Amino acid sequence: AAVLAAAEWPDSREPVLVVGHQPTLGEIAAYLLIDDEASWSVRKGAVWWLSNRVRDGVSATVIKVVIGPDFV
């Protein structure tokens, strides 16, 4: 919750880059994508681009890109 508040998710009008470590990044990804308290694996050096969209009044998190460290 603290990381999302600092990033002003989902209301920020500017792009935000969050840099961190496990398990926090995996927990944030799981919370945003499946609304669950899981701990997903996020590899060191990976880039996840998540966005928020609102359609018909319903807010959803969308995965734009996931790039593994081998391709960064």
Side-chain angles (χ1 to χ4, degrees):
V3 173
L4 295 176
E8 296 182 14
W9 180 270
D11 300 320
S12 177
R13 296 287 180 215
E14 300 294 325
V16 176
L17 175 66
V18 175
V19 178
H21 296 278
Q22 285 294 87
T24 304
L25 292 179
E27 291 169 354
I28 292 168
Y31 175 75
L32 290 176
L33 293 167
I34 63 170
D35 196 25
D36 193 10
E37 291 186 16
S39 186
W40 289 357
S41 177
V42 176
R43 290 186 61 197
K44 290 180 183 177
V47 175
W48 288 46
W49 178 10
L50 304 178
S51 183
N52 186 65
R53 77 162 183 231
V54 178
R55 226 182 243 174
D56 297 325
V58 178
S59 179
T61 301
V62 178
I63 299 173
K64 296 281 194 168
V65 174
V66 176
I67 303 172
D70 301 340
F71 296 104
V72 175

Short mmCIF file of all heavy atoms in Angstrom, two decimals:
data_model
loop_
_atom_site.label_atom_id
_atom_site.label_comp_id
_atom_site.label_asym_id
_atom_site.label_seq_id
_atom_site.Cartn_x
_atom_site.Cartn_y
_atom_site.Cartn_z
N ALA A 1 0.83 -1.20 0.00
CA ALA A 1 0.00 0.00 0.00
C ALA A 1 0.87 1.26 0.00
O ALA A 1 0.54 2.23 -0.67
CB ALA A 1 -0.95 0.00 1.19
N ALA A 2 1.98 1.22 0.73
CA ALA A 2 2.85 2.40 0.82
C ALA A 2 3.50 2.70 -0.53
O ALA A 2 3.61 3.87 -0.93
CB ALA A 2 3.92 2.19 1.89
N VAL A 3 3.92 1.67 -1.25
CA VAL A 3 4.55 1.87 -2.56
C VAL A 3 3.53 2.42 -3.56
O VAL A 3 3.82 3.37 -4.30
CB VAL A 3 5.16 0.55 -3.09
CG1 VAL A 3 5.67 0.72 -4.52
CG2 VAL A 3 6.27 0.07 -2.18
N LEU A 4 2.33 1.87 -3.56
CA LEU A 4 1.29 2.36 -4.47
C LEU A 4 0.89 3.79 -4.14
O LEU A 4 0.63 4.59 -5.04
CB LEU A 4 0.08 1.42 -4.44
CG LEU A 4 0.35 0.01 -4.96
CD1 LEU A 4 -0.90 -0.85 -4.80
CD2 LEU A 4 0.81 0.03 -6.40
N ALA A 5 0.84 4.13 -2.87
CA ALA A 5 0.52 5.51 -2.47
C ALA A 5 1.62 6.46 -2.93
O ALA A 5 1.34 7.55 -3.44
CB ALA A 5 0.33 5.59 -0.96
N ALA A 6 2.88 6.07 -2.77
CA ALA A 6 3.99 6.92 -3.19
C ALA A 6 3.99 7.12 -4.71
O ALA A 6 4.34 8.19 -5.20
CB ALA A 6 5.32 6.30 -2.75
N ALA A 7 3.56 6.09 -5.44
CA ALA A 7 3.49 6.18 -6.90
C ALA A 7 2.21 6.86 -7.37
O ALA A 7 2.03 7.07 -8.56
CB ALA A 7 3.58 4.78 -7.50
N GLU A 8 1.32 7.17 -6.43
CA GLU A 8 0.00 7.76 -6.72
C GLU A 8 -0.81 6.87 -7.67
O GLU A 8 -1.52 7.35 -8.55
CB GLU A 8 0.14 9.17 -7.27
CG GLU A 8 0.76 10.14 -6.28
CD GLU A 8 0.86 11.56 -6.81
OE1 GLU A 8 0.22 11.89 -7.83
OE2 GLU A 8 1.59 12.34 -6.19
N TRP A 9 -0.67 5.56 -7.49
CA TRP A 9 -1.40 4.60 -8.32
C TRP A 9 -2.87 4.55 -7.93
O TRP A 9 -3.16 4.51 -6.75
CB TRP A 9 -0.80 3.20 -8.15
CG TRP A 9 -1.50 2.18 -8.98
CD1 TRP A 9 -2.57 1.43 -8.59
CD2 TRP A 9 -1.22 1.83 -10.32
NE1 TRP A 9 -2.96 0.62 -9.62
CE2 TRP A 9 -2.16 0.85 -10.70
CE3 TRP A 9 -0.28 2.25 -11.25
CZ2 TRP A 9 -2.17 0.27 -11.96
CZ3 TRP A 9 -0.29 1.67 -12.50
CH2 TRP A 9 -1.23 0.70 -12.84
N PRO A 10 -3.77 4.58 -8.82
CA PRO A 10 -3.65 4.66 -10.28
C PRO A 10 -3.89 6.06 -10.82
O PRO A 10 -4.12 6.23 -12.01
CB PRO A 10 -4.77 3.71 -10.73
CG PRO A 10 -5.86 3.95 -9.73
CD PRO A 10 -5.13 4.19 -8.42
N ASP A 11 -3.85 7.06 -9.98
CA ASP A 11 -4.27 8.41 -10.37
C ASP A 11 -3.17 9.33 -10.87
O ASP A 11 -3.46 10.45 -11.27
CB ASP A 11 -4.98 9.09 -9.19
CG ASP A 11 -6.21 8.30 -8.75
OD1 ASP A 11 -6.93 7.81 -9.64
OD2 ASP A 11 -6.42 8.15 -7.54
N SER A 12 -1.92 8.90 -10.87
CA SER A 12 -0.83 9.75 -11.32
C SER A 12 -1.03 10.13 -12.78
O SER A 12 -1.39 9.30 -13.61
CB SER A 12 0.52 9.05 -11.16
OG SER A 12 1.54 9.88 -11.66
N ARG A 13 -0.81 11.37 -13.09
CA ARG A 13 -0.94 11.85 -14.47
C ARG A 13 0.40 11.75 -15.21
O ARG A 13 0.47 12.01 -16.40
CB ARG A 13 -1.43 13.30 -14.50
CG ARG A 13 -2.82 13.44 -13.93
CD ARG A 13 -3.81 12.86 -14.90
NE ARG A 13 -5.16 12.98 -14.37
CZ ARG A 13 -6.09 12.09 -14.57
NH1 ARG A 13 -5.82 11.02 -15.26
NH2 ARG A 13 -7.27 12.24 -14.07
N GLU A 14 1.44 11.39 -14.51
CA GLU A 14 2.78 11.26 -15.09
C GLU A 14 3.24 9.81 -14.97
O GLU A 14 2.83 9.10 -14.05
CB GLU A 14 3.77 12.16 -14.34
CG GLU A 14 3.44 13.63 -14.38
CD GLU A 14 3.52 14.22 -15.78
OE1 GLU A 14 4.39 13.78 -16.55
OE2 GLU A 14 2.71 15.10 -16.10
N PRO A 15 4.10 9.34 -15.88
CA PRO A 15 4.67 8.00 -15.73
C PRO A 15 5.47 7.90 -14.43
O PRO A 15 6.10 8.87 -14.01
CB PRO A 15 5.60 7.85 -16.93
CG PRO A 15 5.14 8.89 -17.91
CD PRO A 15 4.57 10.02 -17.08
N VAL A 16 5.43 6.74 -13.80
CA VAL A 16 6.14 6.52 -12.54
C VAL A 16 6.97 5.25 -12.69
O VAL A 16 6.47 4.23 -13.17
CB VAL A 16 5.15 6.36 -11.37
CG1 VAL A 16 5.89 6.02 -10.09
CG2 VAL A 16 4.32 7.62 -11.20
N LEU A 17 8.21 5.30 -12.27
CA LEU A 17 9.09 4.14 -12.27
C LEU A 17 9.30 3.70 -10.84
O LEU A 17 9.73 4.48 -10.00
CB LEU A 17 10.44 4.48 -12.91
CG LEU A 17 11.51 3.39 -12.89
CD1 LEU A 17 11.08 2.22 -13.76
CD2 LEU A 17 12.84 3.96 -13.35
N VAL A 18 8.96 2.44 -10.55
CA VAL A 18 9.15 1.89 -9.22
C VAL A 18 10.29 0.88 -9.31
O VAL A 18 10.24 -0.05 -10.11
CB VAL A 18 7.87 1.20 -8.70
CG1 VAL A 18 8.12 0.52 -7.37
CG2 VAL A 18 6.73 2.20 -8.60
N VAL A 19 11.30 1.07 -8.50
CA VAL A 19 12.45 0.17 -8.46
C VAL A 19 12.48 -0.45 -7.07
O VAL A 19 12.31 0.24 -6.08
CB VAL A 19 13.77 0.94 -8.72
CG1 VAL A 19 14.96 0.01 -8.63
CG2 VAL A 19 13.72 1.64 -10.07
N GLY A 20 12.67 -1.76 -7.00
CA GLY A 20 12.66 -2.40 -5.70
C GLY A 20 13.23 -3.79 -5.75
O GLY A 20 13.93 -4.16 -6.68
N HIS A 21 12.88 -4.55 -4.74
CA HIS A 21 13.39 -5.91 -4.57
C HIS A 21 12.24 -6.85 -4.26
O HIS A 21 11.13 -6.44 -3.98
CB HIS A 21 14.40 -5.95 -3.41
CG HIS A 21 15.61 -5.13 -3.65
ND1 HIS A 21 16.68 -5.58 -4.39
CD2 HIS A 21 15.95 -3.87 -3.26
CE1 HIS A 21 17.61 -4.65 -4.44
NE2 HIS A 21 17.19 -3.60 -3.77
N GLN A 22 12.57 -8.13 -4.27
CA GLN A 22 11.63 -9.16 -3.84
C GLN A 22 11.60 -9.19 -2.32
O GLN A 22 12.61 -8.90 -1.71
CB GLN A 22 12.08 -10.52 -4.38
CG GLN A 22 11.83 -10.69 -5.86
CD GLN A 22 10.36 -10.73 -6.18
OE1 GLN A 22 9.75 -9.68 -6.38
NE2 GLN A 22 9.77 -11.88 -6.22
N PRO A 23 10.53 -9.52 -1.71
CA PRO A 23 9.27 -9.95 -2.32
C PRO A 23 8.31 -8.80 -2.63
O PRO A 23 7.24 -9.04 -3.16
CB PRO A 23 8.68 -10.86 -1.24
CG PRO A 23 9.11 -10.23 0.04
CD PRO A 23 10.51 -9.70 -0.25
N THR A 24 8.71 -7.57 -2.32
CA THR A 24 7.78 -6.43 -2.48
C THR A 24 7.27 -6.28 -3.90
O THR A 24 6.06 -6.12 -4.12
CB THR A 24 8.46 -5.12 -2.02
OG1 THR A 24 8.91 -5.28 -0.68
CG2 THR A 24 7.51 -3.95 -2.10
N LEU A 25 8.16 -6.34 -4.91
CA LEU A 25 7.70 -6.16 -6.29
C LEU A 25 6.75 -7.25 -6.73
O LEU A 25 5.75 -6.99 -7.40
CB LEU A 25 8.90 -6.07 -7.24
CG LEU A 25 9.76 -4.83 -7.08
CD1 LEU A 25 10.93 -4.88 -8.05
CD2 LEU A 25 8.95 -3.56 -7.28
N GLY A 26 7.01 -8.49 -6.34
CA GLY A 26 6.11 -9.59 -6.68
C GLY A 26 4.76 -9.45 -6.00
O GLY A 26 3.72 -9.78 -6.58
N GLU A 27 4.77 -8.97 -4.78
CA GLU A 27 3.52 -8.77 -4.05
C GLU A 27 2.69 -7.66 -4.69
O GLU A 27 1.47 -7.76 -4.80
CB GLU A 27 3.81 -8.45 -2.59
CG GLU A 27 4.37 -9.64 -1.83
CD GLU A 27 4.92 -9.28 -0.46
OE1 GLU A 27 4.99 -8.09 -0.11
OE2 GLU A 27 5.30 -10.22 0.27
N ILE A 28 3.35 -6.59 -5.12
CA ILE A 28 2.64 -5.48 -5.78
C ILE A 28 2.04 -5.96 -7.10
O ILE A 28 0.88 -5.66 -7.41
CB ILE A 28 3.58 -4.28 -6.00
CG1 ILE A 28 3.96 -3.66 -4.66
CG2 ILE A 28 2.94 -3.25 -6.92
CD1 ILE A 28 5.08 -2.66 -4.75
N ALA A 29 2.81 -6.70 -7.89
CA ALA A 29 2.31 -7.21 -9.18
C ALA A 29 1.08 -8.09 -8.96
O ALA A 29 0.07 -7.94 -9.66
CB ALA A 29 3.40 -7.97 -9.91
N ALA A 30 1.15 -9.00 -8.01
CA ALA A 30 0.01 -9.89 -7.75
C ALA A 30 -1.21 -9.10 -7.28
O ALA A 30 -2.33 -9.35 -7.73
CB ALA A 30 0.39 -10.94 -6.70
N TYR A 31 -1.00 -8.14 -6.42
CA TYR A 31 -2.11 -7.33 -5.90
C TYR A 31 -2.79 -6.56 -7.05
O TYR A 31 -4.01 -6.53 -7.15
CB TYR A 31 -1.62 -6.37 -4.83
CG TYR A 31 -2.70 -5.44 -4.35
CD1 TYR A 31 -3.71 -5.89 -3.50
CD2 TYR A 31 -2.73 -4.12 -4.76
CE1 TYR A 31 -4.71 -5.04 -3.07
CE2 TYR A 31 -3.73 -3.26 -4.34
CZ TYR A 31 -4.72 -3.72 -3.49
OH TYR A 31 -5.72 -2.88 -3.09
N LEU A 32 -1.98 -5.94 -7.91
CA LEU A 32 -2.55 -5.14 -8.99
C LEU A 32 -3.24 -6.00 -10.05
O LEU A 32 -4.25 -5.59 -10.63
CB LEU A 32 -1.47 -4.29 -9.65
CG LEU A 32 -0.92 -3.14 -8.82
CD1 LEU A 32 0.21 -2.44 -9.56
CD2 LEU A 32 -2.02 -2.15 -8.46
N LEU A 33 -2.69 -7.18 -10.34
CA LEU A 33 -3.19 -7.97 -11.45
C LEU A 33 -4.28 -8.97 -11.08
O LEU A 33 -5.16 -9.25 -11.89
CB LEU A 33 -2.04 -8.67 -12.16
CG LEU A 33 -1.09 -7.69 -12.86
CD1 LEU A 33 0.20 -8.39 -13.25
CD2 LEU A 33 -1.76 -7.07 -14.07
N ILE A 34 -4.21 -9.53 -9.87
CA ILE A 34 -5.24 -10.52 -9.50
C ILE A 34 -5.93 -10.18 -8.18
O ILE A 34 -6.72 -10.97 -7.68
CB ILE A 34 -4.67 -11.94 -9.45
CG1 ILE A 34 -3.60 -12.07 -8.37
CG2 ILE A 34 -4.17 -12.37 -10.80
CD1 ILE A 34 -3.17 -13.51 -8.10
N ASP A 35 -5.60 -9.00 -7.61
CA ASP A 35 -6.21 -8.54 -6.37
C ASP A 35 -6.10 -9.59 -5.27
O ASP A 35 -7.06 -9.90 -4.58
CB ASP A 35 -7.67 -8.16 -6.60
CG ASP A 35 -8.23 -7.32 -5.45
OD1 ASP A 35 -7.43 -6.66 -4.76
OD2 ASP A 35 -9.45 -7.34 -5.25
N ASP A 36 -4.88 -10.15 -5.14
CA ASP A 36 -4.65 -11.19 -4.14
C ASP A 36 -3.31 -10.95 -3.46
O ASP A 36 -2.41 -10.34 -4.04
CB ASP A 36 -4.63 -12.57 -4.81
CG ASP A 36 -4.70 -13.71 -3.82
OD1 ASP A 36 -4.95 -13.46 -2.62
OD2 ASP A 36 -4.52 -14.87 -4.24
N GLU A 37 -3.20 -11.43 -2.24
CA GLU A 37 -1.95 -11.28 -1.49
C GLU A 37 -1.03 -12.47 -1.78
O GLU A 37 -0.78 -13.30 -0.92
CB GLU A 37 -2.24 -11.16 0.00
CG GLU A 37 -2.90 -9.86 0.37
CD GLU A 37 -3.05 -9.70 1.87
OE1 GLU A 37 -2.39 -10.42 2.63
OE2 GLU A 37 -3.83 -8.84 2.26
N ALA A 38 -0.54 -12.56 -3.00
CA ALA A 38 0.39 -13.60 -3.40
C ALA A 38 1.78 -12.98 -3.52
O ALA A 38 1.93 -11.76 -3.50
CB ALA A 38 -0.04 -14.20 -4.74
N SER A 39 2.77 -13.82 -3.64
CA SER A 39 4.14 -13.34 -3.81
C SER A 39 4.70 -13.94 -5.10
O SER A 39 5.20 -15.05 -5.10
CB SER A 39 5.01 -13.74 -2.61
OG SER A 39 6.28 -13.15 -2.74
N TRP A 40 4.56 -13.21 -6.20
CA TRP A 40 5.04 -13.67 -7.48
C TRP A 40 6.54 -13.45 -7.59
O TRP A 40 7.10 -12.55 -6.97
CB TRP A 40 4.36 -12.93 -8.61
CG TRP A 40 2.92 -13.28 -8.79
CD1 TRP A 40 2.20 -14.21 -8.10
CD2 TRP A 40 2.02 -12.69 -9.71
NE1 TRP A 40 0.91 -14.25 -8.55
CE2 TRP A 40 0.77 -13.32 -9.53
CE3 TRP A 40 2.14 -11.71 -10.66
CZ2 TRP A 40 -0.34 -13.00 -10.29
CZ3 TRP A 40 1.03 -11.37 -11.42
CH2 TRP A 40 -0.19 -12.01 -11.24
N SER A 41 7.17 -14.21 -8.44
CA SER A 41 8.60 -14.06 -8.68
C SER A 41 8.82 -13.01 -9.77
O SER A 41 8.26 -13.12 -10.86
CB SER A 41 9.19 -15.40 -9.13
OG SER A 41 10.55 -15.25 -9.44
N VAL A 42 9.62 -12.01 -9.46
CA VAL A 42 10.04 -11.00 -10.43
C VAL A 42 11.56 -11.09 -10.49
O VAL A 42 12.24 -10.85 -9.50
CB VAL A 42 9.59 -9.58 -10.01
CG1 VAL A 42 10.13 -8.55 -10.98
CG2 VAL A 42 8.07 -9.50 -9.92
N ARG A 43 12.07 -11.48 -11.65
CA ARG A 43 13.51 -11.68 -11.78
C ARG A 43 14.29 -10.37 -11.66
O ARG A 43 13.80 -9.30 -12.05
CB ARG A 43 13.83 -12.32 -13.13
CG ARG A 43 13.34 -13.76 -13.18
CD ARG A 43 13.75 -14.45 -14.43
NE ARG A 43 15.22 -14.49 -14.53
CZ ARG A 43 15.85 -14.74 -15.67
NH1 ARG A 43 15.19 -14.95 -16.77
NH2 ARG A 43 17.17 -14.76 -15.69
N LYS A 44 15.48 -10.47 -11.11
CA LYS A 44 16.37 -9.31 -11.01
C LYS A 44 16.61 -8.74 -12.40
O LYS A 44 16.90 -9.47 -13.34
CB LYS A 44 17.71 -9.71 -10.40
CG LYS A 44 17.64 -10.07 -8.95
CD LYS A 44 19.02 -10.44 -8.44
CE LYS A 44 18.91 -10.88 -7.00
NZ LYS A 44 20.20 -11.32 -6.47
N GLY A 45 16.48 -7.43 -12.52
CA GLY A 45 16.72 -6.76 -13.80
C GLY A 45 15.55 -6.78 -14.76
O GLY A 45 15.66 -6.26 -15.86
N ALA A 46 14.44 -7.38 -14.37
CA ALA A 46 13.27 -7.43 -15.25
C ALA A 46 12.55 -6.08 -15.25
O ALA A 46 12.66 -5.30 -14.31
CB ALA A 46 12.30 -8.52 -14.81
N VAL A 47 11.81 -5.84 -16.32
CA VAL A 47 11.00 -4.62 -16.44
C VAL A 47 9.56 -5.03 -16.66
O VAL A 47 9.28 -5.82 -17.57
CB VAL A 47 11.48 -3.75 -17.63
CG1 VAL A 47 10.57 -2.55 -17.82
CG2 VAL A 47 12.92 -3.31 -17.43
N TRP A 48 8.69 -4.54 -15.83
CA TRP A 48 7.25 -4.77 -15.98
C TRP A 48 6.60 -3.41 -16.20
O TRP A 48 6.75 -2.50 -15.40
CB TRP A 48 6.65 -5.39 -14.72
CG TRP A 48 7.01 -6.80 -14.45
CD1 TRP A 48 8.24 -7.37 -14.53
CD2 TRP A 48 6.13 -7.82 -14.02
NE1 TRP A 48 8.18 -8.68 -14.18
CE2 TRP A 48 6.89 -8.99 -13.86
CE3 TRP A 48 4.78 -7.88 -13.75
CZ2 TRP A 48 6.34 -10.20 -13.44
CZ3 TRP A 48 4.23 -9.07 -13.33
CH2 TRP A 48 5.00 -10.21 -13.19
N TRP A 49 5.86 -3.26 -17.29
CA TRP A 49 5.14 -2.01 -17.58
C TRP A 49 3.66 -2.30 -17.38
O TRP A 49 3.04 -3.03 -18.14
CB TRP A 49 5.43 -1.56 -18.99
CG TRP A 49 4.71 -0.30 -19.41
CD1 TRP A 49 3.99 0.56 -18.64
CD2 TRP A 49 4.66 0.23 -20.74
NE1 TRP A 49 3.49 1.59 -19.38
CE2 TRP A 49 3.90 1.41 -20.68
CE3 TRP A 49 5.18 -0.18 -21.94
CZ2 TRP A 49 3.65 2.18 -21.80
CZ3 TRP A 49 4.92 0.59 -23.07
CH2 TRP A 49 4.17 1.77 -22.99
N LEU A 50 3.11 -1.73 -16.32
CA LEU A 50 1.70 -1.89 -16.00
C LEU A 50 0.99 -0.56 -16.19
O LEU A 50 1.55 0.50 -15.93
CB LEU A 50 1.52 -2.36 -14.55
CG LEU A 50 2.26 -3.65 -14.16
CD1 LEU A 50 2.02 -3.95 -12.69
CD2 LEU A 50 1.83 -4.81 -15.02
N SER A 51 -0.24 -0.63 -16.60
CA SER A 51 -1.04 0.56 -16.81
C SER A 51 -2.43 0.33 -16.22
O SER A 51 -2.83 -0.80 -16.00
CB SER A 51 -1.14 0.85 -18.31
OG SER A 51 -1.85 2.04 -18.54
N ASN A 52 -3.14 1.40 -15.99
CA ASN A 52 -4.50 1.32 -15.49
C ASN A 52 -5.44 1.85 -16.56
O ASN A 52 -5.14 2.83 -17.22
CB ASN A 52 -4.66 2.15 -14.21
CG ASN A 52 -6.02 1.96 -13.59
OD1 ASN A 52 -6.35 0.88 -13.16
ND2 ASN A 52 -6.82 3.01 -13.57
N ARG A 53 -6.55 1.15 -16.74
CA ARG A 53 -7.56 1.66 -17.68
C ARG A 53 -8.92 1.59 -17.02
O ARG A 53 -9.17 0.75 -16.16
CB ARG A 53 -7.54 0.87 -18.98
CG ARG A 53 -8.20 -0.47 -18.87
CD ARG A 53 -8.57 -1.04 -20.22
NE ARG A 53 -9.27 -2.28 -20.01
CZ ARG A 53 -8.97 -3.42 -20.58
NH1 ARG A 53 -7.97 -3.47 -21.43
NH2 ARG A 53 -9.66 -4.50 -20.33
N VAL A 54 -9.78 2.47 -17.45
CA VAL A 54 -11.16 2.47 -16.97
C VAL A 54 -12.06 2.31 -18.18
O VAL A 54 -11.98 3.08 -19.13
CB VAL A 54 -11.50 3.79 -16.23
CG1 VAL A 54 -12.94 3.78 -15.79
CG2 VAL A 54 -10.57 3.99 -15.05
N ARG A 55 -12.88 1.26 -18.14
CA ARG A 55 -13.82 0.98 -19.22
C ARG A 55 -15.19 0.74 -18.62
O ARG A 55 -15.32 -0.09 -17.72
CB ARG A 55 -13.36 -0.26 -19.97
CG ARG A 55 -13.40 -0.10 -21.44
CD ARG A 55 -12.98 -1.35 -22.15
NE ARG A 55 -11.78 -1.05 -22.90
CZ ARG A 55 -11.08 -1.93 -23.55
NH1 ARG A 55 -11.40 -3.19 -23.51
NH2 ARG A 55 -10.03 -1.56 -24.24
N ASP A 56 -16.17 1.48 -19.08
CA ASP A 56 -17.53 1.36 -18.56
C ASP A 56 -17.57 1.53 -17.04
O ASP A 56 -18.29 0.83 -16.34
CB ASP A 56 -18.16 0.02 -18.97
CG ASP A 56 -18.30 -0.14 -20.47
OD1 ASP A 56 -18.56 0.89 -21.15
OD2 ASP A 56 -18.15 -1.26 -20.97
N GLY A 57 -16.72 2.42 -16.54
CA GLY A 57 -16.69 2.71 -15.11
C GLY A 57 -15.94 1.69 -14.27
O GLY A 57 -15.90 1.81 -13.05
N VAL A 58 -15.33 0.68 -14.90
CA VAL A 58 -14.60 -0.36 -14.18
C VAL A 58 -13.10 -0.17 -14.41
O VAL A 58 -12.65 -0.12 -15.54
CB VAL A 58 -15.04 -1.77 -14.64
CG1 VAL A 58 -14.23 -2.84 -13.93
CG2 VAL A 58 -16.52 -1.97 -14.41
N SER A 59 -12.36 -0.07 -13.31
CA SER A 59 -10.92 0.11 -13.36
C SER A 59 -10.22 -1.26 -13.42
O SER A 59 -10.62 -2.19 -12.73
CB SER A 59 -10.46 0.87 -12.12
OG SER A 59 -9.06 1.04 -12.13
N ALA A 60 -9.19 -1.37 -14.27
CA ALA A 60 -8.45 -2.62 -14.39
C ALA A 60 -6.97 -2.32 -14.64
O ALA A 60 -6.64 -1.34 -15.30
CB ALA A 60 -9.00 -3.47 -15.52
N THR A 61 -6.11 -3.17 -14.12
CA THR A 61 -4.68 -3.08 -14.39
C THR A 61 -4.37 -3.90 -15.63
O THR A 61 -4.86 -5.01 -15.78
CB THR A 61 -3.86 -3.61 -13.21
OG1 THR A 61 -4.18 -2.84 -12.05
CG2 THR A 61 -2.37 -3.50 -13.47
N VAL A 62 -3.58 -3.32 -16.52
CA VAL A 62 -3.25 -3.94 -17.80
C VAL A 62 -1.74 -4.12 -17.88
O VAL A 62 -0.98 -3.20 -17.55
CB VAL A 62 -3.73 -3.05 -18.97
CG1 VAL A 62 -3.36 -3.65 -20.30
CG2 VAL A 62 -5.22 -2.80 -18.87
N ILE A 63 -1.30 -5.31 -18.32
CA ILE A 63 0.12 -5.53 -18.58
C ILE A 63 0.42 -5.04 -19.98
O ILE A 63 -0.15 -5.53 -20.96
CB ILE A 63 0.48 -7.03 -18.49
CG1 ILE A 63 0.18 -7.58 -17.11
CG2 ILE A 63 1.95 -7.24 -18.85
CD1 ILE A 63 0.36 -9.08 -17.00
N LYS A 64 1.29 -4.05 -20.09
CA LYS A 64 1.71 -3.54 -21.40
C LYS A 64 2.88 -4.38 -21.93
O LYS A 64 2.87 -4.80 -23.06
CB LYS A 64 2.13 -2.08 -21.30
CG LYS A 64 1.04 -1.13 -20.92
CD LYS A 64 0.19 -0.83 -22.11
CE LYS A 64 -0.69 0.37 -21.81
NZ LYS A 64 -1.32 0.87 -23.00
N VAL A 65 3.92 -4.58 -21.09
CA VAL A 65 5.11 -5.31 -21.49
C VAL A 65 5.76 -5.92 -20.25
O VAL A 65 5.78 -5.29 -19.19
CB VAL A 65 6.14 -4.38 -22.16
CG1 VAL A 65 7.45 -5.09 -22.46
CG2 VAL A 65 5.60 -3.76 -23.43
N VAL A 66 6.31 -7.12 -20.40
CA VAL A 66 7.20 -7.70 -19.42
C VAL A 66 8.45 -8.12 -20.17
O VAL A 66 8.38 -8.88 -21.13
CB VAL A 66 6.58 -8.92 -18.71
CG1 VAL A 66 7.60 -9.56 -17.77
CG2 VAL A 66 5.32 -8.52 -17.93
N ILE A 67 9.59 -7.59 -19.74
CA ILE A 67 10.86 -7.88 -20.40
C ILE A 67 11.79 -8.51 -19.37
O ILE A 67 12.06 -7.93 -18.32
CB ILE A 67 11.51 -6.60 -20.95
CG1 ILE A 67 10.58 -5.89 -21.91
CG2 ILE A 67 12.85 -6.93 -21.63
CD1 ILE A 67 11.06 -4.53 -22.36
N GLY A 68 12.26 -9.70 -19.68
CA GLY A 68 13.20 -10.38 -18.81
C GLY A 68 14.57 -9.74 -18.89
O GLY A 68 14.89 -9.04 -19.84
N PRO A 69 15.41 -9.99 -17.91
CA PRO A 69 16.74 -9.37 -17.87
C PRO A 69 17.62 -9.77 -19.05
O PRO A 69 18.55 -9.03 -19.40
CB PRO A 69 17.33 -9.85 -16.54
CG PRO A 69 16.53 -11.03 -16.16
CD PRO A 69 15.17 -10.85 -16.76
N ASP A 70 17.32 -10.88 -19.71
CA ASP A 70 18.10 -11.30 -20.87
C ASP A 70 17.92 -10.36 -22.06
O ASP A 70 18.76 -10.32 -22.95
CB ASP A 70 17.71 -12.71 -21.30
CG ASP A 70 17.91 -13.73 -20.19
OD1 ASP A 70 18.68 -13.44 -19.26
OD2 ASP A 70 17.27 -14.79 -20.25
N PHE A 71 16.82 -9.61 -22.07
CA PHE A 71 16.52 -8.73 -23.22
C PHE A 71 16.64 -7.25 -22.90
O PHE A 71 16.37 -6.42 -23.76
CB PHE A 71 15.09 -9.03 -23.71
CG PHE A 71 14.95 -10.41 -24.25
CD1 PHE A 71 14.31 -11.38 -23.50
CD2 PHE A 71 15.46 -10.75 -25.48
CE1 PHE A 71 14.19 -12.68 -23.99
CE2 PHE A 71 15.33 -12.04 -25.97
CZ PHE A 71 14.71 -13.00 -25.21
N VAL A 72 17.02 -6.92 -21.69
CA VAL A 72 17.13 -5.51 -21.30
C VAL A 72 18.47 -4.97 -21.77
O VAL A 72 19.48 -5.57 -21.70
CB VAL A 72 16.96 -5.32 -19.78
CG1 VAL A 72 17.21 -3.88 -19.38
CG2 VAL A 72 15.58 -5.75 -19.36
#
